[in-house]
Each structure stands twice: as structure tokens, then as C-alpha cells.
Coordinates of all heavy atoms in Angstrom, one line a residue:
L1 N 39.9 -10.2 -4.7 CA 38.9 -9.7 -3.9 C 37.5 -10.0 -4.5 O 37.4 -10.5 -5.6 CB 39.1 -8.1 -3.8 CG 40.3 -7.7 -3.0 CD1 40.4 -6.2 -3.1 CD2 40.4 -8.2 -1.6
A2 N 36.5 -9.6 -3.8 CA 35.1 -9.8 -4.2 C 34.8 -8.8 -5.3 O 35.3 -7.7 -5.3 CB 34.2 -9.7 -3.0
P3 N 33.9 -9.2 -6.2 CA 33.5 -8.3 -7.3 C 33.0 -6.9 -6.8 O 33.3 -5.9 -7.4 CB 32.5 -9.0 -8.1 CG 32.7 -10.5 -7.8 CD 33.3 -10.5 -6.4
Q4 N 32.2 -7.0 -5.7 CA 31.7 -5.7 -5.2 C 32.6 -4.9 -4.3 O 32.4 -3.8 -3.9 CB 30.4 -6.0 -4.5 CG 30.5 -6.6 -3.1 CD 30.7 -8.1 -3.1 OE1 30.9 -8.7 -4.2 NE2 30.6 -8.8 -2.0
L5 N 33.8 -5.5 -4.0 CA 34.8 -4.8 -3.2 C 36.2 -4.9 -3.9 O 37.1 -5.6 -3.5 CB 34.9 -5.5 -1.8 CG 33.6 -5.5 -1.0 CD1 33.8 -6.4 0.2 CD2 33.2 -4.1 -0.6
P6 N 36.4 -4.2 -5.0 CA 37.6 -4.4 -5.9 C 38.8 -3.6 -5.4 O 39.9 -3.8 -6.0 CB 37.1 -3.9 -7.2 CG 36.1 -2.8 -6.9 CD 35.4 -3.3 -5.7
H7 N 38.6 -2.8 -4.4 CA 39.8 -1.9 -4.0 C 40.2 -2.3 -2.6 O 39.5 -2.9 -1.8 CB 39.3 -0.4 -4.0 CG 38.8 0.0 -5.3 ND1 39.6 0.3 -6.4 CD2 37.5 0.2 -5.6 CE1 38.8 0.6 -7.4 NE2 37.5 0.6 -7.0
M8 N 41.4 -1.9 -2.2 CA 42.0 -2.2 -0.9 C 42.4 -0.9 -0.2 O 43.0 0.0 -0.9 CB 43.2 -3.1 -0.9 CG 42.8 -4.5 -1.4 SD 44.1 -5.7 -1.3 CE 45.4 -5.0 -2.1
L9 N 42.1 -0.8 1.1 CA 42.5 0.4 1.9 C 43.4 -0.2 2.9 O 43.1 -1.1 3.7 CB 41.2 1.0 2.6 CG 41.5 2.1 3.6 CD1 42.1 3.3 2.9 CD2 40.2 2.5 4.3
V10 N 44.6 0.4 2.9 CA 45.7 0.0 3.9 C 45.7 1.0 5.0 O 45.9 2.2 4.7 CB 47.0 -0.2 3.2 CG1 48.1 -0.6 4.3 CG2 47.0 -1.2 2.1
T11 N 45.5 0.6 6.2 CA 45.5 1.5 7.4 C 46.0 0.8 8.6 O 46.2 -0.4 8.6 CB 44.0 1.9 7.6 OG1 44.0 2.9 8.6 CG2 43.1 0.8 7.9
Y12 N 46.1 1.6 9.7 CA 46.4 1.0 11.0 C 45.2 0.2 11.4 O 44.1 0.6 11.2 CB 46.8 2.0 12.0 CG 48.1 2.6 11.8 CD1 48.3 3.9 11.3 CD2 49.3 1.9 12.0 CE1 49.5 4.5 11.0 CE2 50.6 2.4 11.8 CZ 50.7 3.7 11.3 OH 51.9 4.3 11.1
P13 N 45.4 -0.9 12.1 CA 44.3 -1.7 12.6 C 43.3 -0.9 13.5 O 43.8 -0.2 14.4 CB 44.9 -2.9 13.4 CG 46.3 -2.9 12.9 CD 46.7 -1.5 12.5
M14 N 42.0 -1.1 13.2 CA 41.0 -0.3 14.0 C 40.7 -1.1 15.3 O 40.3 -0.4 16.3 CB 39.8 -0.1 13.2 CG 40.1 0.8 12.0 SD 38.6 1.1 11.1 CE 39.2 1.8 9.6
D15 N 40.9 -2.4 15.3 CA 40.4 -3.1 16.5 C 41.6 -3.9 17.1 O 41.3 -4.9 17.8 CB 39.3 -4.1 16.1 CG 38.1 -3.4 15.5 OD1 37.8 -2.3 16.0 OD2 37.4 -3.9 14.6
A16 N 42.8 -3.6 16.9 CA 43.9 -4.4 17.3 C 44.4 -4.1 18.8 O 45.1 -4.9 19.3 CB 45.1 -4.2 16.4
G17 N 43.9 -3.0 19.3 CA 44.3 -2.7 20.7 C 45.9 -2.6 20.8 O 46.5 -1.9 20.0
D18 N 46.4 -3.3 21.7 CA 47.9 -3.3 22.0 C 48.7 -4.0 20.9 O 49.9 -3.9 20.9 CB 48.2 -4.0 23.3 CG 47.6 -3.2 24.5 OD1 47.4 -2.0 24.4 OD2 47.5 -3.8 25.6
L19 N 48.0 -4.7 20.0 CA 48.8 -5.4 18.9 C 49.1 -4.5 17.8 O 49.8 -4.9 16.9 CB 48.0 -6.6 18.5 CG 47.8 -7.7 19.5 CD1 46.9 -8.8 18.9 CD2 49.1 -8.2 20.0
A20 N 48.6 -3.3 17.7 CA 48.9 -2.4 16.6 C 50.4 -2.0 16.5 O 50.9 -1.8 15.5 CB 48.1 -1.1 16.7
S21 N 51.1 -2.0 17.7 CA 52.5 -1.7 17.7 C 53.2 -2.6 18.8 O 52.7 -2.7 19.9 CB 52.8 -0.3 18.0 OG 54.1 0.0 18.0
I22 N 54.2 -3.3 18.4 CA 54.9 -4.2 19.3 C 56.4 -3.8 19.3 O 57.0 -3.7 18.3 CB 54.7 -5.7 18.8 CG1 53.3 -6.1 18.7 CG2 55.5 -6.6 19.7 CD1 53.0 -7.4 18.1
E23 N 56.9 -3.7 20.5 CA 58.3 -3.4 20.7 C 59.1 -4.7 20.7 O 58.7 -5.7 21.3 CB 58.6 -2.7 22.0 CG 58.0 -1.3 22.0 CD 58.3 -0.6 23.3 OE1 59.3 -0.9 24.0 OE2 57.5 0.3 23.7
T24 N 60.2 -4.8 19.9 CA 61.0 -5.9 19.8 C 62.5 -5.4 20.0 O 62.8 -4.2 20.0 CB 60.9 -6.7 18.5 OG1 61.6 -5.9 17.5 CG2 59.5 -7.0 18.2
S25 N 63.4 -6.4 20.2 CA 64.8 -6.0 20.4 C 65.4 -5.4 19.1 O 66.3 -4.6 19.2 CB 65.6 -7.2 20.8 OG 65.5 -8.2 19.8
A26 N 64.8 -5.7 18.0 CA 65.2 -5.2 16.7 C 64.6 -3.8 16.4 O 64.9 -3.2 15.4 CB 65.0 -6.2 15.6
G27 N 63.6 -3.4 17.2 CA 62.9 -2.2 16.9 C 61.4 -2.4 17.0 O 60.9 -3.5 17.2
D28 N 60.6 -1.3 16.8 CA 59.2 -1.4 16.8 C 58.6 -2.1 15.5 O 59.1 -1.8 14.5 CB 58.5 -0.1 17.0 CG 58.8 0.5 18.4 OD1 59.3 -0.2 19.3 OD2 58.6 1.7 18.6
V29 N 57.6 -2.9 15.7 CA 56.9 -3.5 14.6 C 55.4 -2.9 14.6 O 54.8 -2.9 15.6 CB 56.8 -5.0 14.7 CG1 56.0 -5.6 13.6 CG2 58.2 -5.6 14.7
H30 N 55.0 -2.3 13.5 CA 53.7 -1.7 13.4 C 52.9 -2.5 12.4 O 53.2 -2.8 11.3 CB 53.8 -0.3 12.9 CG 54.6 0.6 13.8 ND1 54.1 1.2 14.9 CD2 55.9 0.9 13.8 CE1 55.0 1.9 15.5 NE2 56.1 1.8 14.8
A31 N 51.7 -3.0 12.9 CA 50.8 -3.8 12.1 C 50.0 -2.9 11.2 O 49.7 -1.7 11.5 CB 49.9 -4.6 13.0
L32 N 49.6 -3.4 10.0 CA 48.7 -2.7 9.1 C 47.5 -3.6 8.8 O 47.7 -4.8 8.8 CB 49.4 -2.3 7.8 CG 50.5 -1.2 8.0 CD1 51.2 -1.0 6.6 CD2 50.0 0.1 8.5
Q33 N 46.4 -3.0 8.5 CA 45.2 -3.8 8.2 C 44.9 -3.4 6.7 O 44.9 -2.3 6.3 CB 44.1 -3.3 9.1 CG 42.8 -3.9 8.8 CD 41.7 -3.5 9.8 OE1 42.0 -2.8 10.7 NE2 40.5 -3.9 9.6
V34 N 44.5 -4.5 6.0 CA 44.1 -4.3 4.6 C 42.6 -4.6 4.6 O 42.1 -5.6 4.9 CB 44.8 -5.2 3.6 CG1 44.3 -5.1 2.2 CG2 46.3 -5.0 3.7
M35 N 41.8 -3.5 4.1 CA 40.4 -3.7 4.1 C 39.9 -3.6 2.7 O 40.2 -2.6 1.9 CB 39.7 -2.5 4.9 CG 40.1 -2.5 6.3 SD 39.6 -1.0 7.2 CE 38.1 -0.5 6.4
P36 N 39.1 -4.5 2.2 CA 38.4 -4.4 0.9 C 37.4 -3.3 1.0 O 36.6 -3.3 1.9 CB 37.9 -5.8 0.7 CG 37.7 -6.4 2.0 CD 38.7 -5.8 2.9
I37 N 37.3 -2.5 -0.1 CA 36.3 -1.4 -0.1 C 35.7 -1.4 -1.5 O 36.3 -1.8 -2.5 CB 36.8 -0.1 0.3 CG1 38.0 0.4 -0.6 CG2 37.3 0.0 1.7 CD1 38.4 1.8 -0.4
S38 N 34.5 -0.9 -1.6 CA 33.8 -0.8 -2.9 C 34.2 0.5 -3.7 O 34.9 1.3 -3.2 CB 32.3 -0.7 -2.6 OG 32.0 0.5 -2.0
D39 N 33.7 0.5 -4.9 CA 33.9 1.7 -5.7 C 33.4 3.0 -5.0 O 34.1 4.0 -5.0 CB 33.2 1.6 -7.1 CG 33.9 0.6 -8.0 OD1 35.2 0.5 -7.9 OD2 33.3 0.0 -8.8
S40 N 32.2 2.9 -4.5 CA 31.6 4.1 -3.9 C 32.3 4.5 -2.6 O 32.4 5.6 -2.3 CB 30.1 3.9 -3.7 OG 29.8 2.8 -2.9
E41 N 32.8 3.5 -1.9 CA 33.5 3.8 -0.7 C 34.9 4.4 -1.0 O 35.3 5.3 -0.3 CB 33.8 2.5 0.2 CG 32.5 2.0 0.8 CD 32.6 0.6 1.3 OE1 33.5 -0.2 1.0 OE2 31.7 0.2 2.1
R42 N 35.5 4.0 -2.1 CA 36.7 4.6 -2.6 C 36.5 6.1 -3.0 O 37.2 7.0 -2.6 CB 37.3 3.8 -3.7 CG 38.6 4.4 -4.3 CD 39.1 3.7 -5.5 NE 40.2 4.3 -6.1 CZ 40.1 5.4 -6.9 NH1 38.9 5.8 -7.3 NH2 41.2 6.0 -7.4
H43 N 35.4 6.3 -3.7 CA 35.1 7.7 -4.1 C 34.8 8.5 -2.9 O 35.2 9.7 -2.8 CB 33.9 7.7 -5.0 CG 34.2 7.1 -6.4 ND1 35.1 7.7 -7.3 CD2 33.7 6.0 -7.0 CE1 35.2 7.0 -8.4 NE2 34.3 5.9 -8.2
Y44 N 34.1 8.0 -1.9 CA 33.8 8.7 -0.6 C 35.1 9.0 0.1 O 35.3 10.1 0.5 CB 32.9 7.8 0.2 CG 32.4 8.6 1.5 CD1 31.1 9.2 1.5 CD2 33.1 8.6 2.6 CE1 30.6 9.8 2.6 CE2 32.6 9.3 3.8 CZ 31.4 9.9 3.7 OH 30.9 10.5 4.8
L45 N 36.0 8.1 0.1 CA 37.3 8.3 0.7 C 38.1 9.4 0.0 O 38.6 10.3 0.7 CB 38.2 7.0 0.6 CG 39.6 7.1 1.0 CD1 39.8 7.3 2.5 CD2 40.3 5.8 0.7
M46 N 38.1 9.4 -1.3 CA 38.8 10.5 -2.0 C 38.1 11.9 -1.8 O 38.8 12.9 -1.8 CB 38.8 10.1 -3.5 CG 39.5 8.8 -3.8 SD 41.2 8.7 -3.1 CE 42.0 9.8 -4.2
D47 N 36.8 11.9 -1.7 CA 36.0 13.2 -1.6 C 36.1 13.7 -0.2 O 36.1 14.9 0.0 CB 34.6 13.0 -2.0 CG 34.4 12.8 -3.5 OD1 35.4 13.1 -4.3 OD2 33.4 12.3 -4.0
Y48 N 35.9 12.8 0.8 CA 35.7 13.3 2.2 C 36.9 12.9 3.2 O 36.9 13.4 4.3 CB 34.4 12.7 2.8 CG 33.2 13.2 1.9 CD1 32.6 12.3 1.1 CD2 32.8 14.5 2.0 CE1 31.5 12.8 0.3 CE2 31.7 14.9 1.2 CZ 31.1 14.1 0.4 OH 30.0 14.5 -0.4
G49 N 37.8 12.0 2.8 CA 38.9 11.7 3.6 C 38.7 10.4 4.4 O 37.6 9.9 4.6
F50 N 39.8 9.9 5.0 CA 39.8 8.7 5.7 C 39.0 8.8 7.0 O 38.2 7.9 7.3 CB 41.2 8.3 6.1 CG 41.3 7.1 7.0 CD1 41.0 5.8 6.5 CD2 41.5 7.3 8.3 CE1 41.0 4.7 7.4 CE2 41.5 6.2 9.2 CZ 41.2 4.9 8.7
D51 N 39.1 9.9 7.7 CA 38.4 10.0 9.0 C 36.9 9.9 8.8 O 36.2 9.3 9.6 CB 38.8 11.3 9.7 CG 40.2 11.3 10.3 OD1 40.8 10.2 10.5 OD2 40.8 12.4 10.5
S52 N 36.4 10.5 7.8 CA 35.0 10.5 7.5 C 34.5 9.1 7.1 O 33.5 8.6 7.6 CB 34.6 11.5 6.4 OG 33.3 11.6 6.2
L53 N 35.3 8.4 6.3 CA 34.9 7.1 5.9 C 35.0 6.1 7.1 O 34.1 5.3 7.3 CB 35.8 6.5 4.8 CG 35.5 5.1 4.3 CD1 34.1 5.0 3.7 CD2 36.6 4.7 3.3
Q54 N 36.0 6.3 7.9 CA 36.1 5.5 9.1 C 34.9 5.7 10.0 O 34.4 4.7 10.6 CB 37.4 5.8 9.9 CG 37.6 5.0 11.1 CD 38.8 5.3 11.9 OE1 39.4 6.4 11.8 NE2 39.3 4.4 12.7
E55 N 34.4 6.9 10.2 CA 33.2 7.2 11.0 C 32.0 6.4 10.4 O 31.2 5.9 11.2 CB 32.9 8.7 11.1 CG 33.8 9.4 12.0 CD 33.7 8.9 13.4 OE1 32.5 8.7 13.9 OE2 34.7 8.8 14.1
V56 N 31.9 6.4 9.1 CA 30.8 5.7 8.5 C 30.9 4.2 8.8 O 29.9 3.5 9.1 CB 30.7 5.9 6.9 CG1 29.7 5.0 6.3 CG2 30.4 7.3 6.6
F57 N 32.1 3.6 8.6 CA 32.3 2.2 9.0 C 31.9 1.9 10.4 O 31.3 0.9 10.7 CB 33.8 1.8 8.7 CG 34.2 1.7 7.3 CD1 35.5 1.8 6.9 CD2 33.2 1.5 6.3 CE1 35.9 1.6 5.6 CE2 33.6 1.3 4.9 CZ 34.9 1.4 4.6
I58 N 32.3 2.8 11.3 CA 32.0 2.6 12.7 C 30.5 2.6 13.0 O 29.9 1.7 13.6 CB 32.8 3.6 13.6 CG1 34.3 3.3 13.6 CG2 32.2 3.6 15.1 CD1 35.1 4.4 14.2
R59 N 29.8 3.6 12.4 CA 28.4 3.8 12.6 C 27.6 2.6 12.0 O 26.6 2.2 12.6 CB 27.9 5.1 11.9 CG 28.0 6.3 12.8 CD 27.2 7.4 12.3 NE 27.2 7.6 10.8 CZ 28.1 8.4 10.2 NH1 29.1 9.0 10.8 NH2 28.1 8.5 8.9
Q60 N 28.1 2.1 10.9 CA 27.4 1.0 10.2 C 27.9 -0.4 10.7 O 27.4 -1.4 10.2 CB 27.7 1.0 8.7 CG 27.1 2.3 8.1 CD 25.6 2.3 8.1 OE1 24.9 1.2 8.0 NE2 25.0 3.5 8.2
H61 N 28.8 -0.5 11.7 CA 29.3 -1.7 12.2 C 29.8 -2.6 11.1 O 29.4 -3.8 11.1 CB 28.3 -2.4 13.1 CG 27.7 -1.6 14.2 ND1 28.4 -1.3 15.3 CD2 26.6 -0.9 14.3 CE1 27.7 -0.5 16.1 NE2 26.6 -0.2 15.5
V62 N 30.7 -2.1 10.3 CA 31.2 -2.9 9.1 C 32.0 -4.0 9.6 O 32.9 -3.9 10.4 CB 32.0 -2.0 8.2 CG1 32.7 -2.8 7.1 CG2 31.0 -0.9 7.5
D63 N 31.8 -5.2 9.0 CA 32.6 -6.4 9.3 C 33.7 -6.4 8.2 O 33.4 -6.8 7.0 CB 31.8 -7.7 9.3 CG 32.6 -8.9 9.4 OD1 33.8 -8.8 9.6 OD2 32.0 -10.0 9.4
Y64 N 34.9 -6.0 8.5 CA 35.9 -5.9 7.5 C 36.4 -7.2 6.9 O 37.0 -7.2 5.8 CB 37.2 -5.2 8.1 CG 36.9 -4.0 8.9 CD1 37.0 -3.9 10.3 CD2 36.4 -2.8 8.2 CE1 36.7 -2.8 11.0 CE2 36.1 -1.7 8.9 CZ 36.3 -1.6 10.3 OH 36.0 -0.5 11.0
T65 N 36.0 -8.3 7.5 CA 36.4 -9.6 7.0 C 35.4 -10.2 6.1 O 35.6 -11.2 5.5 CB 36.7 -10.6 8.2 OG1 35.5 -10.8 8.9 CG2 37.8 -10.0 9.1
D66 N 34.2 -9.6 5.9 CA 33.1 -10.1 5.1 C 33.3 -9.6 3.7 O 32.9 -8.5 3.4 CB 31.8 -9.6 5.7 CG 30.6 -10.2 4.9 OD1 30.8 -11.0 4.0 OD2 29.5 -9.8 5.3
L67 N 33.8 -10.5 2.8 CA 33.9 -10.2 1.4 C 32.6 -10.1 0.7 O 32.5 -9.7 -0.5 CB 34.9 -11.1 0.7 CG 36.3 -11.1 1.2 CD1 37.2 -12.2 0.5 CD2 36.9 -9.7 1.0
G68 N 31.5 -10.6 1.3 CA 30.2 -10.5 0.7 C 29.4 -9.3 1.1 O 28.2 -9.2 0.8
R69 N 30.0 -8.4 2.0 CA 29.2 -7.3 2.5 C 28.9 -6.3 1.4 O 29.6 -6.3 0.3 CB 30.0 -6.6 3.6 CG 31.2 -5.8 3.1 CD 31.8 -5.0 4.3 NE 32.9 -4.2 3.8 CZ 32.8 -3.0 3.2 NH1 31.7 -2.5 3.0 NH2 33.9 -2.4 2.8
H70 N 27.9 -5.5 1.6 CA 27.5 -4.5 0.7 C 28.2 -3.2 1.0 O 28.5 -3.0 2.2 CB 26.0 -4.3 0.7 CG 25.2 -5.5 0.2 ND1 25.2 -5.9 -1.1 CD2 24.6 -6.5 0.9 CE1 24.5 -7.0 -1.2 NE2 24.1 -7.4 0.0
S71 N 28.3 -2.3 0.1 CA 28.8 -1.0 0.3 C 28.0 -0.2 1.3 O 26.7 -0.3 1.3 CB 28.9 -0.2 -1.0 OG 29.5 1.1 -0.8
V72 N 28.6 0.6 2.2 CA 27.9 1.4 3.2 C 27.7 2.8 2.8 O 27.1 3.6 3.6 CB 28.6 1.2 4.6 CG1 28.5 -0.2 5.1 CG2 30.0 1.7 4.5
V73 N 28.2 3.2 1.6 CA 27.9 4.6 1.1 C 27.4 4.5 -0.3 O 27.6 3.6 -1.0 CB 29.2 5.5 1.2 CG1 29.6 5.7 2.6 CG2 30.3 4.9 0.4

């Protein structure tokens, strides 16, 4: 990962729509999203929980694929 984003958050995809869960003949397949996060975002997650951090990401329009992004908290 990038030096400023040394941690990973594993969650259900935020923007996957119908692709978050797919029914197959072998059973349901659920996609997960891995998001790089900063030290301060990790601390925020631990202090305030996932829902609160997700709201910050939404308000700040975080590009989860940008490894050069700056922390939003």
C-alpha cells in the first residue's frame, strides 16, 4: 500500500449496486471491497465506528482507488 495509507478496511462494496451479491447455482457469492486507509482514519474507525467513518468518506467524496489520496480525518 501507499505510505500514507498503510491499513486496509474490508467491507461490502459501497458502489457495487447489484454486483454486491450474485446468486449462482452453487449458492450466493458476496463481494467484498478492500479500501486503503490512513492511521488517523483507522483511529477514527476504532473510536467512532464504521458507519461514522463511511459518512465522512461519502461527504468528502473519497476516491477509494486513489493510493495517493490524503486522509480525510
Side-chain angles (χ1 to χ4, degrees):
L1 295 178
Q4 73 278 12
L5 302 170
H7 307 284
M8 294 189 304
L9 173 64
V10 179
T11 183
Y12 287 106
M14 296 183 193
D15 301 324
D18 292 339
L19 296 178
S21 180
I22 301 170
E23 293 181 26
T24 71
S25 60
D28 292 345
V29 176
H30 300 276
L32 295 175
Q33 177 177 355
V34 178
M35 298 171 34
I37 59 173
S38 68
D39 286 328
S40 59
E41 290 165 345
R42 181 184 171 278
H43 290 296
Y44 188 95
L45 172 67
M46 301 305 289
D47 291 343
Y48 301 104
F50 173 76
D51 291 337
S52 184
L53 180 60
Q54 182 180 21
E55 285 297 319
V56 172
F57 285 160
I58 291 168
R59 278 196 316 271
Q60 297 292 327
H61 304 285
V62 170
D63 178 359
Y64 310 111
T65 64
D66 181 5
L67 294 178
R69 74 172 180 82
H70 296 286
S71 181
V72 294
V73 296

